[in-house]
Amino acid sequence: ITFAGNGEPTLAKNLGSMIRAVKMVRKEKIAVITNASLIDRTDVVEDLLLADLVEAKLDASSAASFRAVNRPMPEILWENIVEGLKTFREVYRGHLTLQVMFVASNRACAAAIAKIAHQIGPEEVEVNTPLRACDVKPLSPGEIEEITAIFRGICGARIKVRSVYEAKREKIQPFCQPSTDRRRGKESPL
């Protein structure tokens, strides 16, 4: 059962109580997908410690590249995210995955991001590029293959590295296509 969606799940003041409530009635593992913007906050860490799997974003190797790629609010600092992820990793016993989205503007940062990922020490790194329709052009399979090789070389065998192009993509049928289209910014034909 995954907490994600249209917005950042760690903004919910009741995330921890929602995870506890779900665990009382369901046996499935709990995942939280986060942009990691609040990972330096104690209350957020306490909530995330309840999850079996945490997938956190790390798309930049510096404050400047973070501003260019992620366009954060001024109070969201790259340094706090990196230090927060390192501290979280020290106390979190679940499965930590780092999701790294590559586009043209951060492609050159691959080795530096891989070094940071290695310092954090997740179980897994996902090397991504946007495959859904958006304003940013995805990197080619060859470019992502090169970046994935950089990550594998730096992260070593201890950290599983996989790319979006290597992943087996299953055909998924949504429960409600119009609702799915609205969430993805598409208008459904009437």
Side-chain angles (χ1 to χ4, degrees), residues 78-142:
W78 175 82
E79 297 86 354
N80 293 355
I81 292 172
V82 172
E83 289 309 310
L85 285 167
K86 289 176 182 177
T87 301
F88 179 68
R89 175 75 273 181
E90 290 172 9
V91 297
Y92 183 59
R93 298 297 165 240
H95 186 95
L96 178 63
T97 298
L98 294 180
Q99 294 181 335
V100 188
M101 183 67 71
F102 282 98
V103 294
S105 61
N106 69 341
R107 180 179 176 211
C109 301
I113 297 171
K115 288 175 186 172
I116 296 165
H118 184 262
Q119 292 170 1
I120 293 167
E123 278 76 24
E124 188 171 4
V125 173
E126 295 176 357
V127 176
N128 295 322
T129 196
L131 296 183
R132 291 185 186 152
C134 69
D135 294 339
V136 181
K137 184 179 172 191
L139 296 181
S140 71

Side-chain angles (χ1 to χ4, degrees), residues 24 28 56 58-59 61 66 78 84 96 105 113 115 119 122 133 137-138 146 158 167 175:
M24 289 173 59
E28 293 92 347
L58 179 67
D59 301 331
S61 61
F66 179 60
W78 175 82
L96 178 63
S105 61
I113 297 171
K115 288 175 186 172
Q119 292 170 1
K137 184 179 172 191
E146 289 173 16
R158 188 179 61 78
F175 290 115

Side-chain angles (χ1 to χ4, degrees), residues 5-66:
N6 230 3
E8 172 55 31
T10 62
L11 287 171
K13 291 193 181 288
N14 64 341
L15 178 61
S17 61
M18 287 190 296
I19 293 172
R20 281 192 281 288
V22 169
K23 285 187 170 199
M24 289 173 59
V25 296
R26 301 296 294 259
K27 295 185 188 305
E28 293 92 347
K29 293 188 182 276
I30 303 289
V32 178
I33 301 175
T34 176
N35 64 18
S37 61
L38 304 176
I39 195 78
D40 61 321
R41 288 180 35 172
T42 305
D43 59 329
V44 169
V45 168
E46 288 172 4
D47 290 345
L48 292 176
L49 288 174
L50 300 169
D52 302 294
L53 167 72
V54 173
E55 292 193 14
K57 297 277 289 160
L58 179 67
D59 301 331
S61 61
S62 68
S65 66
F66 179 60

